[in-house]
Amino acid sequence: MTELPINTKKARVFDIQRFSLNDGPGIRTTIFFKGCPLRCEWCHNPESFLSGPQFLYNESLCVNCMECIPVCLPGAHDKIEYQGQEKHVFDHELCNLCGECVKVCCYEALKIIGKEYSTKELLDELKPDLVYYELPNESLERGGITLSGGEPMNQVDFIADFLDLTDGIHICMDTSGYAPPENFLKILPKIDLFLFDYKVTDPEKHIYYCGVDNALILSNLDLLYHSGANIVLRFPIIPGVNDNLEHFEGIAKLMKKYDRIEYGEIMAYHNLGISKIEQFGMMDMGIHQKSVNKEERSKWISIIKSYGIHHIR
Amino acid sequence: MNNFKVKNPREDLQYEINFTNAYREAINKYNRPEEIEVASLKAQFPAALHPIQDEDLFAGRLQMGLVGLGIQGQTGGFGYYMDEEKVTRELEFATGNAKYREDLHDLLTFWKSKNTTTIIFNQRPDELQDIFPSMEWKKEPLPACPIIRMAGAFIDYEKLLNLGLNGLMDLVRNRRKVAIDNNEDVVIYDCMLEEVELVKSVCAFYCSQAIKLMNNTDNPQRKIELKNIADALLKIQMDPPSSMFEALQLSWLYGLLIPLLQHGRVDEYIGDFYVHDIDNGIITEDEALAMLQSFFRLINHMDSETDGRVIIGGYGRRNPKNADRVCLTIIEACRTVLEPLPQTTLRFNSETPKAIWDAAMNCIEEGRTYPLLYNDDILVYAIGKAFDVSKEIAESYMPLGCGEFEFNHFSFGSPNGSANSLKMLELAIRGGYDHVSNKEMGPKVKSLKACTSYDEFYEEYKSIISYYIVAQAKFQKYEYDITGKMHPFLLVSMLYDGCLESGKAIFNGGCAHLTGALELYGNVNSANALAAIKKHIFEEKTLTVDALVTAMDHNFYGYDKIRKLLLDAPKYGNDDDYVDDIYIDLHNYIAEKSREQASAVGLKAYLYVTINNAQNTTLARWVGATPDGRKSGMPMANANNPSPGTDKNGLTAMLNSLAKLSHDNHAGAVQNMRFTKELMASSREKVHRALISYFVRGGAQAMITVLGKEDLYNAIQKPEEYKDLIVRVGGFSARFVDLKKDIQQEIYDRVTY
């Protein structure tokens, strides 16, 4: 599959989730932008990696009607004999993203992920839910829009233009922190809250697991903090990767250093993204385990609390 | 048809044979329907009643026969009825001697033409003969079909409990005296008195049974319970009830003999008794709860899944403080009696105490689906306007069965017609030809192919809808009139406004406020289909009529590209104005067209409803493939809800679509919403806020299902029906049905009760 050039007038989005409840305060709409410079092994949104469109084949929704086979010129769709019945198979390598098969699949097993939006088109998608954003919850927090991905900072020019249209709406930026510092400064005044990831403490391991160094991430965090940004730190914890004392201590140190941040939040590993990895025909990157249970998550929180950190949830 | 939940159901049809003989004797002996009714009821009760069961705190279990007398239909049949199918089966498979089989044959041939439903249908006016060729809507493709019954009696329980049985008889006697003074006929009053006597004799019947059971049990606790039943039954034969226990016993038993399926504003008529008994230390809160739990189980034993309303809360109650106090206990009974009935219904408004709202939410969150929520602050005004009644009357609105509105013991609004707007659209497309039954149906119209614009086609379609609405309204009025001549339903009449005063039975001029309701199915699918036609045939011209009809004729086999185009057209429930506007326009057309019929046929109101029950599935069975991409025979959307799997933009979008519907021109629209338990647990406050927003912005009603383990299992098996299920995890985007089966299984395994 080929990477398409990024069009700054438009951004490619892989999902818009209305009634989003877990990415910032209140009732929100989360916009998932495509494209990410990191390659975290546990990533649950692998469709965000590439900035171009991607083909999705969801085998569990396929009913083997075979309607896609005759319309596919490159021959990516085919059928095989399996346990005495005809079964549909798909080869991602042969797909040229023409979309002809999507037009005949009535069971939503085939999709092309990644739709381009202009700033205005994006705003139109969000407008109907403005009434829900304004509802104060018990702590009088307002809902709003969360920019997520992928790495939304990858599309900073588009986002800057977009945020010119969203005055009065509460904006969260869900970021890995991996972007040029001047980009953060550019949009800083428009962002009400950063949901800032801190993934792995040890720089070497960070490169190993996420594909990039964490120095830029940490310096951006420092920059945002000292520029007065509101920040929630989010800590993805993946058993066998960073559920170790070294990292928990690193988290504690960070929380102490930046004691003005709103709170820290543990994002326990879950395996829901595995479905997508297969559907996109991606390489399985190795993290393939059971979702973390509540008890385990509580244990991690108590460890961090034992360092004297209390605003962690 | 229901299966009464009784421990030892009757094994043969001797009861039915006896009832038939008694009825025959009565029609030979009497001329007046009142007298025949009394004689029939005496044959029915206590014979059809069942013993008090070990778990019952009140007396009164019923197993209506395959032949009998009832009002609503769901309790066995309407009027004098026979369940022909089951009687025939008994004949084919039953043992019993030659006499028994002779009697059964006799019964079958006797009732074949003499049951109320057949009489009413066969005597329909000439002009309706061809429009409604059959009552078999389950078995035949029919765009519209009358429903023969009188559903939704909301008797004046308050009056019953205030007066007691003797007080009620005094009232009747006083009226009888006036009648004599005025040289009026008194048969109706004599028969009323006899029917109240029958209620008393049933009390006596159960009283002696309770004493017998009491003497036979060694369990000291059960002895006390049975003594309470016996004492109460003795007392209510003479005096008005003076305790919550007596009040529930009387209201239950009186209703059972009709038999009623709507239990009225229970908090209002029980509230004062509850407060009196609690505040004077006569009963404990636990005892009150136990009574209500037993009451709920008894309601459930009637097994009529679309009925059994217990209504609480709302404006217009005589005693809001006391009623609100018992509300909490009623909701607790609802939470703890894990049965499909009663359909506990909370009318709420800005004055509803927070404790009641919170209790209701807790109950819903546990996956009970109840209480069903009705927003008074929207509905009182809207219903007042729709029915053209005063605010005071509007405040007494009662959702019956599936959700049709009536006014407490003031109006009767039996839903006596069903219509299938998607079937009508199917006819419109083919110019009035039904390809399923291979014949012409309804008025001849211009086919889709002959129409040159969307608006032209829409007018043709509307002319079919109008044709059936006009006919249904006529049938409704006819059905009231003929029922009035045949059936006095005196136990109902005595406790309905206007009947005693006028000396007339409820449908014979007694109830001054008869309204009608037309059940409409298929509107959402029709709107989706119209949107696809408008967009692809007329605006974008991406599809020809021939191609569309050919694809539909082939149930889309081999035409998947066309089907996909149709599936991708705008669908109601996604906050998309293109299709939502079409839906609202269709809704308003049907609503206004129905409303116009009231004065034409002589009813106080004639309104349409869009409600929950199984007809969206049964009627859809006879509708071929449709332009919304729906395949032949597949279910239509239920009530005012998106078609299964077509709402893909999340809860807020769906709520926005739902809130676009006006409520001042119909008699009830039901909205279903569903959430997973996990979502409710993790984001209770946010879900709550979204609901409040929906209600504040005009949402009138909500039926909220919190999905438990079983539902997730269904979602794994039938993903096409659960596309709205969202998995909520921070920063993550996916729907439940998009996950791999084994991951779905893992989530399923994790969900616990």
Side-chain angles (χ1 to χ4, degrees), chain B residues 373-408:
Chain B
L373 301 174
Y374 284 77
N375 183 2
D376 272 8
D377 289 322
I378 298 295
L379 284 170
V380 167
Y381 170 78
I383 294 175
K385 204 173 156 207
F387 284 86
D388 195 18
V389 293
S390 68
K391 177 166 170 279
E392 191 194 349
I393 294 292
E395 283 183 348
S396 78
Y397 80 86
M398 311 286 276
L400 85 90
C402 309
E404 305 89 343
F405 297 127
E406 289 183 25
F407 305 106
N408 205 5

Side-chain angles (χ1 to χ4, degrees), chain B residues 159 175 189 493-494 496-504 510:
Chain B
K159 194 171 182 179
R175 181 65 185 84
Y189 308 109
S493 293
M494 272 183 276
Y496 240 82
D497 295 4
C499 296
L500 257 184
E501 295 85 331
S502 65
K504 289 176 180 164

